[in-house]
């Protein structure tokens, strides 16, 4: 927290990452490193996934953008800084920092490549590839599922006084990011990347928001979709899964079942 404050921001500290890092070191020494400014063009969640999940480093956020046009997340604007925890007091801390930066750079370069490649075509162009992705062997492909979800969205949106056009459009695009390079590399960003790609392709903010929130709530006690259309899409997706799974006789036996 002290290093993050010195860098003009606040550290993003999750309980899981903190516990993991604490278990990895016996003599914890926090060290700050730098992320190249060019990588701030990436969605902040991509950098967080790269730095935290792969490297077990902590990211730093502030209330102000570091570069013009920088994208914001729920935590604010990402600072070009990461904090790692060494297991000793190094005699040459600059070498440790340089080594940490050297490890992060190629991973973020890969993410930048995925980001640029994925945006070379609009999100709806990825829909054709969903026909070859199996949702469940007795329930067809992801494309089949999305056709059902779109029909359900129209019905539910009418009942909930939500925008039918937005709900149907969001359903048509909801799973397209599953076949993008970024989500293949970072599965935890599904839905979120779809929202970014939808916005980049000219879709409305309402459609992008619904795509972003389709997997919410992730578990009991977590936030629900922020928009009515997001709620419609999230409900339609789950109702289709429930009806389909029961219809083929695959009744759930545990809380982790679909």
């Amino acid at each position: 927290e002290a290093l993050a404050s010195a860098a003009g921001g606040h550290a993003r500290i999750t309980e899981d990452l903190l516990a993991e890092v604490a278990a990895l070191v016996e003599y914890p020494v926090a060290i700050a490193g730098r992320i190249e400014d060019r990588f701030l063009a990436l969605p902040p969640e991509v950098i967080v996934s790269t730095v935290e999940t792969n490297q077990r480093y902590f990211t730093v956020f502030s209330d102000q953008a570091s570069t013009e046009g920088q994208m914001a997340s729920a935590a604010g604007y990402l600072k070009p800084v990461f904090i790692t925890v060494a297991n000793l007091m190094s005699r040459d801390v600059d070498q440790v920092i340089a080594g940490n930066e050297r490890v992060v750079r190629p991973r973020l370069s890969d993410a930048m490549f995925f980001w640029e490649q994925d945006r070379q075509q609009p999100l709806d162009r990825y829909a054709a590839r969903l026909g070859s992705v199996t949702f469940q062997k007795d329930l067809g492909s992801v494309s089949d599922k999305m056709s059902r979800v779109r029909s359900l969205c129209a019905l539910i949106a009418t009942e909930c006084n939500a925008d039918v056009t937005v709900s149907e459009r969001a359903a048509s695009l909801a799973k397209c990011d599953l076949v993008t390079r970024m989500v293949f590399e970072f599965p935890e960003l599904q839905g979120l990347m779809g929202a970014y790609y939808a916005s980049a392709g000219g879709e409305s903010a309402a459609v992008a928001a619904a795509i972003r929130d389709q997997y919410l709530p992730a578990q009991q006690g977590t936030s629900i979709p922020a928009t009515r259309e997001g709620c419609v899409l999230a409900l339609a997706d789950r109702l289709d899964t429930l009806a389909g799974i029961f219809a083929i006789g695959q009744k759930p036996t545990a809380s982790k079942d679909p």
Side-chain angles (χ1 to χ4, degrees):
E1 290 176 340
L3 283 176
S5 179
H10 57 272
R12 177 185 136 90
I13 304 175
T14 63
E15 290 185 11
D16 288 346
L17 181 59
L18 183 61
E20 183 176 7
V21 171
L24 289 172
V25 296
E26 295 180 348
Y27 191 90
V29 179
I31 300 171
R34 185 163 184 85
I35 298 170
E36 292 179 22
D37 287 343
R38 64 189 177 99
F39 293 127
L40 296 182
L42 286 165
E45 295 87 353
V46 172
I47 299 178
V48 169
S49 288
T50 301
V51 172
E52 292 187 2
T53 303
N54 292 329
Q55 302 304 129
R56 279 68 174 176
Y57 299 165
F58 297 90
T59 49
V60 179
F61 286 82
S62 72
D63 296 329
Q64 295 183 331
S66 300
T67 61
E68 186 177 350
Q70 184 183 358
M71 289 179 278
S73 70
Y77 293 96
L78 186 71
K79 299 282 289 184
V81 176
F82 65 82
I83 298 170
T84 184
V85 179
N87 197 30
L88 51 81
M89 186 72 73
S90 175
R91 296 177 181 176
D92 190 352
V93 69
D94 289 341
Q95 286 293 330
V96 178
I97 293 172
N100 290 332
E101 293 175 342
R102 188 165 55 250
V103 172
V104 166
R105 193 176 300 114
R107 292 187 178 275
L108 291 177
S109 294
D110 287 345
M112 181 68 79
F113 175 76
F114 300 147
W115 170 247
E116 293 172 348
Q117 289 295 307
D118 287 343
R119 290 184 300 148
Q120 287 187 1
Q121 61 182 3
L123 187 62
D124 57 8
R125 292 281 296 277
Y126 289 97
R129 294 167 56 185
L130 294 176
S132 60
V133 180
T134 301
F135 166 59
Q136 204 282 341
K137 64 182 180 66
D138 296 320
L139 297 174
S141 67
V142 174
S143 181
D144 296 328
K145 176 178 175 62
M146 293 321 300
S147 294
R148 299 192 298 268
V149 169
R150 181 177 178 180
S151 297
L152 280 172
C153 276
L155 294 171
I156 298 172
T158 301
E159 292 290 331
C160 297
N161 295 321
D163 190 309
V164 175
T165 301
V166 169
S167 300
E168 287 187 310
R169 181 60 176 168
S172 298
L173 301 173
K175 307 300 183 185
C176 290
D177 66 347
L178 295 180
V179 291
T180 62
R181 295 179 182 226
M182 188 73 82
V183 173
F184 182 82
E185 184 70 21
F186 301 102
E188 68 273 16
L189 297 181
Q190 61 185 2
L192 187 64
M193 292 313 303
Y196 278 117
Y197 293 146
S199 295
E203 299 291 338
S204 69
V207 168
I211 294 172
R212 179 197 64 213
D213 292 349
Q214 64 181 292
Y215 297 105
L216 299 179
Q219 60 188 27
Q220 183 179 358
T222 58
S223 59
I224 65 172
T227 67
R228 195 173 290 261
E229 292 74 28
C231 288
V232 168
L233 178 56
L235 280 170
D237 193 3
R238 287 162 173 78
L239 289 172
D240 173 77
T241 298
L242 282 170
I245 293 297
F246 273 94
I248 62 174
Q250 298 294 321
K251 296 181 180 180
T253 58
S255 62
K256 293 295 184 181
D257 285 354

